[in-house]
Amino acid sequence: MNDLIKDIDIITGDEAQAVDYKTTVEENTGKAKKIYIESYGCQMNFSDSEIVASIMKENGYDTTSDFQQADVVFLNTCSIREKAEQTVRNRLNHFNAVKKHKPEMTIGVLGCMAERLKDKLLEEEKIVDVVVGPDAYRDLPNLVNAAEDGQKGVNTFLSREETYADIAPVRLNSNGVTAFISIMRGCDNMCSFCVVPFTRGRERSRDPHSIVAEAQDLFNRGYREVTLLGQNVDSYKWSPEENNKARLNKKEGEVTEVVNFANLLEMVAQVSPLLRVRFSTSHPKDITDEVLYTMKKYENICKYIHLPVQSGNSRVLELMNRTYDREWYLNRVKAIREILGEECGISSDMIAGFCTETEEEHQDTLTMMDLVKYDFSYMFFYSERPGTLAAKKYEDDIPLEVKKRRLAEIIEKQHQLSFERNKLDVGKEQLILIEGTSKKSQQELKGRNSANKVVIVSAEGLKLGDYVKVKVTDCSPATLFGEVLEINPALA
Ligand code: SAH
Ligand code: SF4
Ligand code: F3S
């Protein structure tokens, strides 16, 4: 997903050992104990860590950014590719070495790897104290207490209802401007390569009322952008009957109609014209024209769609069980261009070297990229995951060198396309939202335009959270550079 997956083969496509993870920040409110959380994988996992921090905070724990200070260390893990799991195993070994000198420290594995491996991590490998899957975080304080008394524990129960709707996430690593809101959990698709349906369980949508309330609260606290998160946001669906059978009395302001994703987008967009709305991930089989028209109707819904194609070849797409073909995908892109115009950003995920993929079929992915002209992509080579449909049905028969070479070709193509697309922005006036300092210089700030591209501007007179009208003056394949024209123009 998008913003969603952060791991190194996006960049290098190889087995480099670098990691991309987030840790908790220091928050000292005088509580007796401290947790340290290291989070891997997609944005939804990072979002879950904020729920975990909230649950633990209620139960007497502050957060720390230094695991040496922590009473409890959590690794919130990802199983999407083999390398993601290997990274976590290396970290676990490291934490265990530390624990030898500090036996009172509790080590917990959370997230997708916990769900996939369950008690294996406890029984066979004996390297953790608690193992807790994505739907069981309310049980964490109990399990940690028991572990502190020497009782190791596992809870990997997957729920059909849990959405943590009532839990106010503790914003970790926050810039105070942009935040993520989970709108659904799980996934009901069965893409043959993918482990997510097994680690995250059945798809369920969260009460729209609680989503809007969370967006409103963030806005009141100064946030200016929310990203609505789900594995397949277009299948968001909430109805009072289905989702809320137990409730007898309707509360004031409660939603009574069926709410689909387009409706939800509109509800969040109406919080304020000053609150930008983004979302991820869209599934090509489910994205509707109604969503595209809603995006068009609201200036504050960003014109950017992450629409992972995975492959440009219809036979491979069928083996992947993506349930669309090349033609369907191209038609969806046509609708985006017709309704939202050429400037709408489109990005993708691509998998190189899926089972039985021929050279010609790989070429179809490259020509697909040329046709769509993706602004950027997250690119991977296929990594077989135990228990998935592909692992059961197909042979992982493309040699690693071939996978890597195909991936390198895809990355090279994307590099050219990103540069081409960025050049089209040079000379244009755009609105950006300032969200941080530039990696390269303290004198420069970075913001993003509606199409989700980073624009670097001089920091003079600006602060985080400002909307700035800029003229794009230059670009690299990854970044735009802008000149400030106006600070906080009227948007309402
Ligand atoms: N729900 C999102 C994807 C979530 S996983 C969607 O349907 O688009 C994020 C990305 O990881 C996928 O889009 C896919 O490109 C990649 N991925 C998933 N499983 C993989 C595997 N077994 N090997 C390589 N890449 C994989
Ligand atoms: Fe995985 Fe497919 Fe679900 Fe995305 S839509 S999470 S790729 S099964
Ligand atoms: Fe996300 Fe990785 Fe799980 S991508 S849903 S943390 S397998």
Side-chain angles (χ1 to χ4, degrees), residues 1-2 4-5 9 80-81 187 189 191 193-196 230-232 281-284 306-308 310 322 349-351 378 380-385 388:
M1 302 175 123
N2 39 29
L4 300 197
I5 303 293
D9 52 0
I80 201 84
R81 284 168 290 276
C187 183
N189 295 315
C191 303
F193 52 78
C194 186
V195 78
V196 172
Q231 294 295 358
N232 177 6
T281 297
S282 299
H283 196 298
H306 182 58
L307 196 70
Q310 313 298 359
R322 288 288 287 183
D349 295 347
M350 252 84 68
I351 299 179
Y378 298 91
F380 316 97
F381 60 74
Y382 175 58
S383 163
E384 186 178 82
R385 308 311 293 129
T388 54

Side-chain angles (χ1 to χ4, degrees), residues 247-266:
R247 202 179 308 186
L248 295 171
N249 301 315
K250 186 171 115 42
K251 289 192 206 132
E252 203 179 326
E254 201 161 79
V255 182
T256 52
E257 302 293 308
V258 172
V259 178
N260 67 16
F261 183 59
N263 307 141
L264 178 72
L265 255 186
E266 179 149 36

Side-chain angles (χ1 to χ4, degrees), residues 12-24:
T12 63
D14 63 25
E15 300 288 327
Q17 70 299 333
V19 286
D20 189 343
Y21 60 82
K22 287 189 183 172
T23 65
T24 35

Side-chain angles (χ1 to χ4, degrees), residues 38 67-68 73 75 88-109 121-122 124-131 152:
E38 213 166 89
F67 79 85
Q68 304 269 12
V73 169
L75 278 160
V88 168
R89 282 179 190 280
N90 294 342
R91 284 307 271 169
L92 268 178
N93 290 336
H94 177 66
F95 288 128
N96 267 283
V98 175
K99 191 174 159 130
K100 290 223 164 70
H101 309 286
K102 197 185 168 190
E104 69 282 6
M105 183 169 89
T106 302
I107 300 179
V109 175
L121 283 166
L122 271 187
E124 287 170 26
E125 310 191 21
K126 298 199 177 18
I127 46 177
V128 296
D129 302 305
V130 293
V131 177
K152 300 187 179 211

Side-chain angles (χ1 to χ4, degrees), residues 1 4-5 40-45 76-81 84 111-113 195-196 199-200 231:
M1 302 175 123
L4 300 197
I5 303 293
Y40 294 82
C42 62
Q43 199 56 59
M44 299 200 73
N45 229 28
N76 195 0
T77 62
C78 173
S79 290
I80 201 84
R81 284 168 290 276
C112 291
M113 217 173 139
V195 78
V196 172
T199 61
R200 294 260 160 181
Q231 294 295 358

